[in-house]
Amino acid sequence: MSFLARRRTKKRLATLLTRSIFLTIAVLSLVVVLQNYQVNRQVVSQEVARSKLQTQSLVQQILNFRLEALEIQQDSYSRNGSLVDAFIAKDTNRLARFFNGIDQATPELAPDFRFITEQSQIVWDDANYQFYGLSMGQLSHISQDMTTGGSWHLSQTPSLLGTRYLMVRRVPIVNMASGEVLGYLHIAVVLNNNFSLMSAVLRGSNADQVLLAVGSEVIASSTKDIDLSHIEWLEESAVDFTVSQYMVSKTDLTISDVPTFLSIYTIQDNKPIVIMVRSHYMWVAVAVVLLFLIAVYGRLWLGKRVSKELVKLMKYTESSVETKGMTRFLGSHIEEFDQIGSSFELSFQRFHEQEKQFADLFNFSLSPMTLWNAQGQLLRSNPAAERSFLVNNESENGDYHLLIEKLGPHIRLCAKGAALKGINISIRDKTYRWNLSPIFIDKGVNNVLAQGQDVTSFVEAEVQSLAARREAEETAKARSEFLAKMSHELRTPLNGILGVSQLLKGKLSDTQDVEHLDVLCNSGEHLLAVLNDILDFSKIEQGKFQIQSVDFRLVELVSAVEKIYTPLCEEKGISFEVFTNLSDETFAHSDQVRLNQILFNLVSNAIKFTHRGSVTVSIMCRKQPTGYYLNVGVEDTGIGIEQERITYIFEPFVQAESTTTREYGGSGLGLAIVHSLVEMLNGEIEIESTIGRGTHLQLSIPIELVESAEQVETNTLVEPASLFARPLNVLLVEDNHTNAFIAKAFCEKYGMDVIWVQDGYNAIEKLKQQNDIDLILMDNQLPNLGGIETTKIIRNDMMLDTPIFACTADGMQDTKRAFLNAGADYVIIKPIKELALNQALIHYKESHLSKNKDF
Ligand code: ADP
């Protein structure tokens, strides 16, 4: 939503707010006015009804009162003695005087006319009836219709002047002395045009006008101003008092509680009420107009206030957005707006701080930072980038064009949404490593931030380190080749020394000669042991050392240690004890050779460094929750090792004292090899030692026990002369004269005919000429054509299956495997020892000659 659109919406909001207020006020006013009108109308109509009721009862009372007054007067004078006397005397003049006297005394109680009857005959009258158009006969009729008693008789009598409505009452004239009824005195009130009655009612009822009507005919009234011919308008006027000029109330008269056809209308001037109603309407109108004006004013005022504050708020946000700087919000008179403004101010403040932090990060970063658009155009770059790419002044843009050219494709790729890391770009003599991050706005990538790092020296270092690694690898290779070679070079003469010594052993008889020969043998053996240690260690270092597990009788470890070291200890004068819990029937699947090597190393060290006391060895097999373990302990009472050197004792070439080599010999590799071997066998080794008191080495190796060994080799020496039934033809391929001499001498002990050739070519030639060769003994390192290559030719090209037993001074497993892969049948490690050769030949006999009946 654009800012303008938002602004418009806010304006509408303000208007809506004020309009709703206006509407609410208007509705409220209307409700109040309506309710007021309703209440007023109800009150007035109730008041009118109440007043009408009052008037009705008043009118009835006035009439009753007037009639009662007439009755009382009539009753009183009807018993008057003068009247009785006059009546008895039939003196009409006296009668007339009597009544005149009464009427003069109380003129307001004088009836309209009187007459006296005696036995239904009118004996006297005052002749007033004639004024009302009545005749004597009509009076007689009226008298006859009347019943005795004091009640009023309402009579409707036609006359010359129209119908007359009379109220007649008769009372008996009684002779008080005799109690005799002499006649009847009648009094009559003519209702037609009875102004005095109307005046009485008018006076008593507080009405403005009074009308007496029979049905719809008005027979008397208190005024002559209004048209009395029709009284329908009176009925109509009675309905809506709010508009009518008069307020009319109708009273249906009763005489002596008997309903009559007479009605009295009282008419009151309705002007005050009409005026009151009108003024009420006027006030309501005034109130509505006032409320309207207030609402309009309120709307304008509120609208102005709200929009003023809104405009203030919007101006503040506009200025904050435009200036991009921090501006203060000066507050609003409306609390909510004030809060909104304050939160805006806080947000702007935070934005500003963040922006500043980002700007600082961008500007003060030591590594080049650049901002790009999605099309790969450079938008901004920080000072570090300028320092890096604007140094070259060849072109206006320095090296930026190179950067754009090289980084552009990556930027466009990154603009598709992928963050790219570690892009190396070389510009002139420098290399920069770039990390590209897409910047997402509204779910799309708008910009790309590229952060670079000058990695020139790092890349150089990388190149150098690569070179150094290659060099180290080369060196390691050279060392391993050197070791292989050295092993060959050292073992060959050693082969000669040990071989000749062994040959000589059986031939010498002079004791001193034998002793000298023993020294020779021992020195050779020692040299061989050191050589083997060095070779083993270098193999371990190169990771070429392998564990080869076989099934064997565990107790053989114990017997080997006992056999070898018991004589040595006896010789040294120290006691030697070996404890074990192993039975003859315990077979294990592990590397017997390496276990022996470990034991021999530890025990020989213990014996070497112990001059008195004892060496105790314990070889136990224990069951633990995780399986069986071989626990070995070698304890001596020898010279011991200093505490600070114990930590390094398993490191290669470490000896406890610098004098050790001089005194005891050794290379310092033994324990390092033991440690590596124990680790390879997943075991652990610990050492405890006290200087001058002795050393205790303990190790624990997990061991797999098996039911029985598949094959247990015996090391028994078979008598050479009796091994083969006939002399074998042996082709010996060996370039070294000493080795050839030794090998030949050993073979001849077995009665073999040895044909000696010095290289592979000659061997092949010999095999072509002679096809009765029984066995080929093939050396490894031969001039012209090597042993492995020669073997391959014999097997693959010449297709000969003559058994080939390879002899190699290179104890490496690889060489052994290469020989066997080329087609050799057996590998003998040099220097050739009598026992090893014996076993090789037994193997030869069992594998190759078993079907031949000659053997
Ligand atoms: P070395 O071939 O010199 O015997 P080792 O690695 O077998 O090499 O032994 C390293 C050194 O540890 C020895 O030179 C010796 O000083 C010390 N050492 C090893 N075993 C014992 C022991 N049982 N008693 C005293 N010193 C020992």
Side-chain angles (χ1 to χ4, degrees):
M1 200 195 287
S2 78
F3 189 71
L4 264 175
R6 260 180 301 178
R7 190 173 161 166
R8 224 177 286 135
T9 317
K10 281 191 181 177
K11 260 192 172 174
R12 272 190 216 126
L13 271 175
T15 317
L16 214 69
L17 196 71
T18 51
R19 275 183 191 167
S20 62
I21 291 165
F22 173 61
L23 200 73
T24 317
I25 289 177
V27 169
L28 270 175
S29 324
L30 205 68
V31 168
V32 169
V33 165
L34 278 175
Q35 207 195 13
N36 191 288
Y37 170 75
Q38 194 64 24
V39 169
N40 280 350
R41 205 185 153 88
Q42 270 177 9
V43 168
V44 172
S45 55
Q46 274 174 12
E47 197 51 41
V48 166
R50 199 171 61 82
S51 131
K52 276 183 179 178
L53 260 176
Q54 270 181 354
T55 309
Q56 283 166 4
S57 105
L58 212 62
V59 165
Q60 184 69 50
Q61 275 178 16
I62 291 166
L63 186 72
N64 290 347
F65 177 74
R66 192 169 174 80
L67 292 179
E68 273 171 22
L70 284 171
E71 281 171 22
I72 292 164
Q73 199 189 38
Q74 190 188 12
D75 289 345
S76 67
Y77 62 64
S78 64
R79 289 179 194 89
N80 191 289
S82 306
L83 177 66
V84 172
D85 290 345
F87 183 72
I88 293 166
K90 303 282 189 256
D91 186 349
T92 53
N93 285 334
R94 265 176 70 192
L95 284 171
R97 277 198 307 276
F98 175 79
F99 286 116
N100 272 340
I102 290 168
D103 287 345
Q104 276 169 8
T106 51
E108 72 279 358
L109 291 178
D112 288 327
F113 62 89
R114 290 189 190 94
F115 63 93
I116 298 169
T117 55
E118 188 183 11
Q119 292 167 355
S120 303
Q121 292 296 314
I122 297 171
V123 290
W124 178 87
D125 64 79
D126 61 3
N128 284 343
Y129 66 88
Q130 291 169 16
F131 294 114
Y132 301 102
L134 295 169
S135 63
M136 184 74 84
Q138 282 172 320
L139 294 187
S140 290
H141 278 297
I142 291 167
S143 174
Q144 281 160 17
D145 286 348
M146 289 182 69
T147 50
T148 320
S151 301
W152 288 91
H153 173 72
L154 186 62
S155 155
Q156 190 178 0
T157 311
S159 76
L160 294 171
L161 300 170
T163 308
R164 292 283 160 190
Y165 296 95
L166 308 173
M167 295 212 357
V168 186
R169 186 176 184 258
R170 73 171 192 180
V171 289
I173 301 168
V174 181
N175 187 347
M176 294 308 281
S178 61
E180 181 194 359
V181 175
L182 302 173
Y184 290 94
L185 172 67
H186 296 77
I187 58 170
V189 176
V190 179
L191 295 175
N192 299 61
N193 296 321
N194 192 330
F195 189 73
S196 91
L197 178 67
M198 293 297 102
S199 298
V201 173
L202 191 68
R203 276 195 309 276
S205 67
N206 199 25
D208 292 326
Q209 300 294 339
V210 181
L211 301 179
L212 180 65
V214 175
S216 60
E217 187 196 353
V218 176
I219 53 169
S221 80
S222 61
T223 180
K224 298 213 183 330
D225 296 348
I226 42 177
D227 178 13
L228 300 177
S229 56
H230 300 290
I231 60 164
E232 283 83 9
W233 65 270
L234 290 174
E235 299 285 346
E236 283 162 20
S237 299
V239 176
D240 191 355
F241 60 90
T242 55
V243 287
S244 172
Q245 198 184 345
Y246 304 104
M247 189 169 74
V248 179
S249 155
K250 184 186 175 194
T251 313
D252 293 323
L253 294 176
T254 57
I255 293 170
S256 308
D257 293 331
V258 177
T260 65
F261 47 79
L262 294 173
S263 304
I264 287 185
Y265 288 89
T266 52
I267 301 168
Q268 275 175 302
D269 191 358
N270 199 28
K271 259 185 202 152
I273 298 238
V274 172
I275 288 170
M276 196 186 86
V277 169
R278 273 187 199 152
S279 78
H280 177 71
Y281 286 156
M282 198 187 74
W283 279 114
V284 166
V286 168
V288 167
V289 169
L290 262 176
L291 279 173
F292 178 76
L293 288 176
I294 289 169
V296 169
Y297 177 74
R299 180 207 176 283
L300 290 175
W301 179 79
L302 206 63
K304 208 172 138 195
R305 279 296 292 270
V306 172
S307 38
K308 195 176 141 196
E309 295 300 322
L310 263 179
V311 165
K312 227 160 101 182
L313 199 64
M314 281 188 302
K315 272 192 181 153
Y316 168 70
T317 50
E318 264 171 36
S319 75
S320 294
V321 170
E322 273 164 17
T323 57
K324 287 187 179 170
M326 249 321 285
T327 43
R328 290 210 51 83
F329 178 61
L330 296 173
S332 167
H333 296 299
I334 298 173
E335 202 183 326
E336 284 78 1
F337 288 0
D338 199 54
Q339 280 177 7
I340 293 170
S342 303
S343 348
F344 272 146
E345 189 181 335
L346 202 69
S347 308
F348 284 135
Q349 200 176 340
R350 284 194 190 140
F351 278 141
H352 184 64
E353 279 165 13
Q354 278 178 1
E355 211 172 60
K356 198 170 168 299
Q357 281 170 0
F358 279 122
D360 287 351
L361 197 72
F362 194 76
N363 291 329
F364 298 115
S365 166
L366 291 176
S367 50
M369 284 169 101
T370 47
L371 190 70
W372 306 70
N373 67 10
Q375 288 71 44
Q377 287 167 326
L378 183 64
L379 301 177
R380 266 179 83 181
S381 58
N382 72 344
E386 280 167 15
R387 279 196 297 278
S388 304
F389 304 114
L390 271 182
V391 276
N392 198 312
N393 292 328
E394 276 172 28
S395 70
E396 195 193 330
N397 286 332
D399 287 340
Y400 270 122
H401 67 282
L402 293 174
L403 180 72
I404 294 167
E405 189 184 302
K406 291 185 173 177
L407 202 58
H410 299 287
I411 297 287
R412 284 190 285 278
L413 190 69
C414 182
K416 288 177 183 155
L420 304 176
K421 272 185 176 177
I423 295 163
N424 282 1
I425 284 180
S426 298
I427 293 175
R428 300 199 190 273
D429 54 350
K430 297 231 165 181
T431 305
Y432 293 90
R433 183 162 293 168
W434 293 91
N435 291 338
L436 312 184
S437 340
I439 299 172
F440 291 91
I441 297 174
D442 290 340
K443 291 182 181 167
V445 177
N446 272 33
N447 296 114
V448 173
L449 181 73
Q451 195 182 1
Q453 198 185 354
D454 185 352
V455 290
T456 316
S457 50
F458 180 67
V459 168
E460 274 170 13
E462 241 177 13
V463 170
Q464 280 173 7
S465 118
L466 200 70
R469 203 170 74 203
R470 280 207 190 112
E471 210 172 297
E473 278 169 7
E474 294 282 318
T475 315
K477 204 174 157 199
R479 188 175 68 172
S480 118
E481 274 168 11
F482 167 76
L483 282 172
K485 210 168 177 128
M486 189 187 78
S487 126
H488 184 262
E489 292 302 323
L490 288 177
R491 277 176 190 242
T492 309
L494 203 56
N495 193 10
I497 294 166
L498 286 172
V500 172
S501 312
Q502 279 171 34
L503 284 170
L504 276 176
K505 243 185 187 173
K507 292 178 184 170
L508 293 181
S509 52
D510 183 63
T511 338
Q512 209 177 359
D513 288 348
V514 172
E515 275 175 13
H516 288 167
L517 195 65
D518 276 345
V519 171
L520 200 67
C521 271
N522 289 341
S523 306
E525 290 289 349
H526 183 73
L527 195 59
L528 192 64
V530 171
L531 191 63
N532 281 339
D533 272 0
I534 293 171
L535 276 172
D536 279 352
F537 183 70
S538 78
K539 275 188 225 165
I540 288 170
E541 255 201 334
Q542 290 174 51
K544 288 182 176 174
F545 207 91
Q546 280 167 351
I547 296 294
Q548 289 176 329
S549 297
V550 291
D551 292 350
F552 67 100
R553 211 185 287 272
L554 254 184
V555 83
E556 278 172 17
L557 296 176
V558 183
S559 52
V561 169
E562 270 179 334
K563 250 188 227 164
I564 295 170
Y565 295 104
T566 310
L568 216 63
C569 288
E570 277 170 9
E571 214 172 275
K572 261 191 118 173
I574 52 176
S575 77
F576 183 64
E577 280 180 303
V578 182
F579 297 100
T580 184
N581 66 348
L582 297 171
S583 72
D584 279 359
E585 301 313 314
T586 312
F587 291 93
H589 182 76
S590 186
D591 193 330
Q592 186 182 7
V593 177
R594 300 304 160 198
L595 286 173
N596 268 329
Q597 195 174 354
I598 292 166
L599 277 170
F600 292 171
N601 256 307
L602 298 182
V603 177
S604 67
N605 270 350
I607 296 169
K608 186 158 78 173
F609 297 106
T610 306
H611 305 297
R612 71 183 83 85
S614 63
V615 170
T616 315
V617 180
S618 85
I619 302 171
M620 304 286 178
C621 184
R622 298 237 154 80
K623 192 179 179 195
Q624 282 177 18
T626 46
Y628 284 96
Y629 282 80
L630 186 70
N631 295 335
V632 175
V634 179
E635 196 169 5
D636 64 58
T637 56
I639 61 172
I641 308 166
E642 273 179 28
Q643 285 306 308
E644 58 265 29
R645 301 208 77 150
I646 283 185
T647 332
Y648 312 105
I649 212 75
F650 293 115
E651 301 283 319
F653 307 108
V654 170
Q655 293 187 323
E657 302 285 339
S658 51
T659 52
T660 311
T661 322
R662 247 181 288 140
E663 255 184 82
Y664 300 97
S667 59
L669 282 175
L671 285 182
I673 293 169
V674 166
H675 190 251
S676 301
L677 290 177
V678 170
E679 269 188 355
M680 278 182 190
L681 291 164
N682 302 318
E684 285 170 3
I685 183 163
E686 282 173 13
I687 182 168
E688 283 170 30
S689 188
T690 316
I691 198 104
R693 294 182 67 177
T695 307
H696 188 190
L697 272 138
Q698 282 176 298
L699 58 90
S700 171
I701 295 170
I703 198 131
E704 185 190 341
L705 296 187
V706 291
E707 285 296 304
S708 65
E710 275 173 8
Q711 184 196 349
V712 181
E713 283 185 9
T714 50
N715 289 340
T716 41
L717 195 70
V718 178
E719 191 53 44
S722 62
L723 189 61
F724 301 110
R726 69 163 174 86
L728 295 181
N729 290 325
V730 176
L731 177 65
L732 174 68
V733 192
E734 172 63 79
D735 64 325
N736 185 289
H737 283 260
T738 321
N739 286 350
F741 173 77
I742 303 289
K744 238 176 128 186
F746 275 133
C747 288
E748 279 161 2
K749 274 178 105 176
Y750 289 87
M752 294 171 172
D753 289 331
V754 179
I755 305 158
W756 174 40
V757 289
Q758 291 189 346
D759 61 21
Y761 288 129
N762 286 322
I764 290 164
E765 281 307 309
K766 207 47 148 195
L767 283 169
K768 280 181 186 167
Q769 294 160 13
Q770 214 172 321
N771 61 359
D772 60 344
I773 302 293
D774 297 303
L775 174 68
I776 304 165
L777 290 176
M778 177 77 71
D779 185 32
N780 178 20
Q781 290 177 340
L782 296 168
N784 303 324
L785 191 64
I788 296 169
E789 285 75 31
T790 312
T791 309
K792 279 182 188 164
I793 292 169
I794 294 168
R795 286 280 182 261
N796 302 334
D797 300 343
M798 299 175 71
M799 308 291 270
L800 287 179
D801 59 355
T802 317
I804 301 172
F805 277 33
C807 307
T808 174
D810 178 0
M812 300 282 186
Q813 202 71 23
D814 287 352
T815 319
K816 195 176 168 184
R817 205 175 298 124
F819 253 124
L820 292 172
N821 287 342
D825 299 283
Y826 197 92
V827 181
I828 306 165
I829 303 293
K830 289 205 267 187
I832 299 174
K833 289 186 181 170
E834 202 163 2
L835 183 64
L837 185 71
N838 191 267
Q839 278 174 356
L841 292 175
I842 291 169
H843 176 80
Y844 169 78
K845 191 182 171 183
E846 283 170 358
S847 326
H848 302 280
L849 301 178
S850 53
K851 289 173 193 164
N852 194 324
K853 291 203 172 81
D854 294 349
F855 299 91

